[in-house]
Amino acid sequence: EQSQKENMVWQQQILMEMLNEMPIIQLVLDRVEADDIIAMITQSPKYKGWQKVIVSSDKDFLQLLDGETVLYRPIQKKAWTKKDVIEEYGISPENFVIARAIAGDKSDNLAGIQGAGLKTISKRLDFLIEDKMHTLNTVYDHCAAAGNKLKFFERIVEGWNTVETNYKVMNLTPPSISVQGRQKINYALDNFEFELNATELKKCSVEHGFGSYDWSELMAKLRGIVEKNKQSA
């Protein structure tokens, strides 16, 4: 397990080193989760009208999907759109974080409400499919009013502290980034130099055992990025 972790760190270091030679922006903030940075970028007015693709297997990102943002989940090899989320779960992306807060997430050790899976939630709280963002208060009031009808509602009311805690952890709208952090990210985006150091990139690939890799297609795309950004500057 330790060697596997060390290998992952090694791969990450190499990747960051090679990305530094490409016209690709890397954004890192101390004590800020990558999830929040990604959420800020997808919601930024700077990229309004752009096609945004998030690459991750984390379901938390489904809450960010809209007409411009999709999620590519590499394990599934599938791109999820807002329409896909609604068809699969019967819950709109705007309200997906509420449903997830109720259901919990075993992969993140977040306990949910007993008997409240996403399918049951979409059935019992069918208004979560609506194309508008509901609040935790709306859901709590609905469950409290219907509490004596079904155990499902009663359990949610009784475990409401768990729901609120999960929601705080999972919610990415708005992202948990300070004003200073936002300023740093925006400065980096506005002042990034789109450059390609092909020589250093090839040298780095040889050093780390990727020398036989055919870089021609990638290099052509990277040069295209550089030229495109020179024209728009």
Side-chain angles (χ1 to χ4, degrees), residues 3 11 16-17 45 61 72 75 93 108 129 146 173 179 215 218 231:
S3 61
Q11 289 181 46
M16 293 175 71
E17 185 181 333
F61 288 122
Y72 180 72
I75 294 176
D108 281 339
I129 198 174
T173 52
V179 173
W215 291 90
L218 176 61
Q231 293 168 12

Short mmCIF file of all heavy atoms in Angstrom, two decimals, residues 3 11 16-17 45 61 72 75 93 108 129 146 173 179 215 218 231:
data_model
loop_
_atom_site.label_atom_id
_atom_site.label_comp_id
_atom_site.label_asym_id
_atom_site.label_seq_id
_atom_site.Cartn_x
_atom_site.Cartn_y
_atom_site.Cartn_z
N SER A 3 4.00 1.50 -1.12
CA SER A 3 4.68 1.63 -2.41
C SER A 3 3.72 2.15 -3.48
O SER A 3 4.11 2.91 -4.37
CB SER A 3 5.28 0.29 -2.84
OG SER A 3 4.26 -0.68 -2.98
N GLN A 11 4.05 9.72 -9.91
CA GLN A 11 3.34 10.00 -11.16
C GLN A 11 2.82 11.44 -11.19
O GLN A 11 2.90 12.12 -12.21
CB GLN A 11 2.17 9.03 -11.33
CG GLN A 11 2.57 7.60 -11.63
CD GLN A 11 1.37 6.70 -11.79
OE1 GLN A 11 0.41 7.03 -12.48
NE2 GLN A 11 1.40 5.53 -11.16
N MET A 16 2.94 17.01 -13.22
CA MET A 16 3.01 18.46 -12.98
C MET A 16 4.24 19.07 -13.64
O MET A 16 4.18 20.16 -14.21
CB MET A 16 3.01 18.74 -11.48
CG MET A 16 1.71 18.39 -10.79
SD MET A 16 1.76 18.60 -8.99
CE MET A 16 1.79 20.39 -8.86
N GLU A 17 5.34 18.34 -13.59
CA GLU A 17 6.58 18.80 -14.20
C GLU A 17 6.42 18.96 -15.72
O GLU A 17 6.86 19.94 -16.31
CB GLU A 17 7.70 17.78 -13.89
CG GLU A 17 9.08 18.19 -14.37
CD GLU A 17 10.12 17.13 -14.05
OE1 GLU A 17 9.92 16.37 -13.06
OE2 GLU A 17 11.12 17.05 -14.79
N PRO A 45 -17.74 33.83 -14.54
CA PRO A 45 -18.25 34.61 -15.67
C PRO A 45 -17.25 34.66 -16.82
O PRO A 45 -17.63 34.83 -17.98
CB PRO A 45 -18.47 36.00 -15.07
CG PRO A 45 -18.61 35.77 -13.60
CD PRO A 45 -17.71 34.61 -13.29
N PHE A 61 -19.46 16.13 -8.50
CA PHE A 61 -19.41 17.08 -9.61
C PHE A 61 -20.71 17.10 -10.43
O PHE A 61 -20.92 18.02 -11.22
CB PHE A 61 -18.22 16.79 -10.53
CG PHE A 61 -16.90 17.15 -9.93
CD1 PHE A 61 -15.91 16.20 -9.77
CD2 PHE A 61 -16.63 18.45 -9.51
CE1 PHE A 61 -14.69 16.53 -9.20
CE2 PHE A 61 -15.41 18.79 -8.95
CZ PHE A 61 -14.43 17.82 -8.79
N TYR A 72 -16.97 14.03 -17.49
CA TYR A 72 -16.50 12.78 -18.07
C TYR A 72 -15.96 11.91 -16.94
O TYR A 72 -15.02 12.28 -16.24
CB TYR A 72 -15.39 13.01 -19.10
CG TYR A 72 -14.90 11.71 -19.70
CD1 TYR A 72 -15.68 10.99 -20.59
CD2 TYR A 72 -13.66 11.18 -19.33
CE1 TYR A 72 -15.26 9.77 -21.11
CE2 TYR A 72 -13.22 9.97 -19.84
CZ TYR A 72 -14.02 9.27 -20.74
OH TYR A 72 -13.59 8.06 -21.24
N ILE A 75 -13.72 6.04 -15.38
CA ILE A 75 -13.93 4.62 -15.06
C ILE A 75 -15.09 4.07 -15.87
O ILE A 75 -15.05 2.96 -16.40
CB ILE A 75 -14.17 4.44 -13.55
CG1 ILE A 75 -12.90 4.81 -12.77
CG2 ILE A 75 -14.58 2.99 -13.24
CD1 ILE A 75 -13.06 4.74 -11.26
N PRO A 93 -29.47 18.35 -11.51
CA PRO A 93 -28.16 18.67 -10.94
C PRO A 93 -28.22 19.74 -9.85
O PRO A 93 -27.48 19.66 -8.87
CB PRO A 93 -27.37 19.17 -12.16
CG PRO A 93 -27.99 18.46 -13.31
CD PRO A 93 -29.45 18.39 -12.99
N ASP A 108 -16.58 8.26 0.81
CA ASP A 108 -16.02 9.35 1.62
C ASP A 108 -16.34 9.18 3.11
O ASP A 108 -16.17 10.11 3.90
CB ASP A 108 -16.55 10.71 1.15
CG ASP A 108 -15.85 11.20 -0.10
OD1 ASP A 108 -14.72 10.73 -0.36
OD2 ASP A 108 -16.41 12.04 -0.83
N ILE A 129 -36.59 17.01 -8.89
CA ILE A 129 -36.32 16.92 -10.34
C ILE A 129 -36.54 18.27 -11.02
O ILE A 129 -36.13 18.48 -12.16
CB ILE A 129 -37.23 15.86 -11.01
CG1 ILE A 129 -36.66 15.44 -12.37
CG2 ILE A 129 -38.67 16.36 -11.14
CD1 ILE A 129 -37.41 14.29 -13.03
N ALA A 146 -44.73 15.66 6.44
CA ALA A 146 -45.17 14.31 6.03
C ALA A 146 -44.62 13.22 6.94
O ALA A 146 -44.76 12.03 6.67
CB ALA A 146 -44.73 14.05 4.59
N THR A 173 -21.58 24.81 -4.45
CA THR A 173 -22.18 26.05 -4.93
C THR A 173 -22.71 26.86 -3.74
O THR A 173 -23.79 26.55 -3.23
CB THR A 173 -23.34 25.75 -5.91
OG1 THR A 173 -24.25 24.82 -5.29
CG2 THR A 173 -22.83 25.14 -7.18
N VAL A 179 -11.96 35.23 -0.50
CA VAL A 179 -11.84 36.33 -1.48
C VAL A 179 -10.41 36.41 -2.01
O VAL A 179 -10.18 36.57 -3.21
CB VAL A 179 -12.24 37.68 -0.83
CG1 VAL A 179 -11.95 38.83 -1.79
CG2 VAL A 179 -13.71 37.67 -0.44
N TRP A 215 4.81 11.78 -29.67
CA TRP A 215 4.26 13.04 -29.18
C TRP A 215 3.69 13.91 -30.30
O TRP A 215 3.18 15.00 -30.04
CB TRP A 215 5.35 13.85 -28.47
CG TRP A 215 5.80 13.23 -27.18
CD1 TRP A 215 6.82 12.34 -27.02
CD2 TRP A 215 5.25 13.46 -25.88
NE1 TRP A 215 6.94 11.99 -25.70
CE2 TRP A 215 5.99 12.67 -24.97
CE3 TRP A 215 4.21 14.26 -25.40
CZ2 TRP A 215 5.72 12.65 -23.61
CZ3 TRP A 215 3.95 14.24 -24.04
CH2 TRP A 215 4.69 13.44 -23.16
N LEU A 218 -0.04 15.14 -30.00
CA LEU A 218 -0.19 16.03 -28.85
C LEU A 218 0.50 17.37 -29.10
O LEU A 218 -0.05 18.43 -28.80
CB LEU A 218 0.38 15.36 -27.59
CG LEU A 218 0.38 16.22 -26.32
CD1 LEU A 218 -1.06 16.59 -25.92
CD2 LEU A 218 1.06 15.48 -25.16
N GLN A 231 -3.45 34.84 -30.97
CA GLN A 231 -4.39 35.60 -31.80
C GLN A 231 -5.43 36.34 -30.97
O GLN A 231 -5.85 37.44 -31.32
CB GLN A 231 -5.10 34.66 -32.78
CG GLN A 231 -4.17 34.07 -33.83
CD GLN A 231 -4.81 32.93 -34.61
OE1 GLN A 231 -6.02 32.72 -34.53
NE2 GLN A 231 -4.02 32.20 -35.38
#
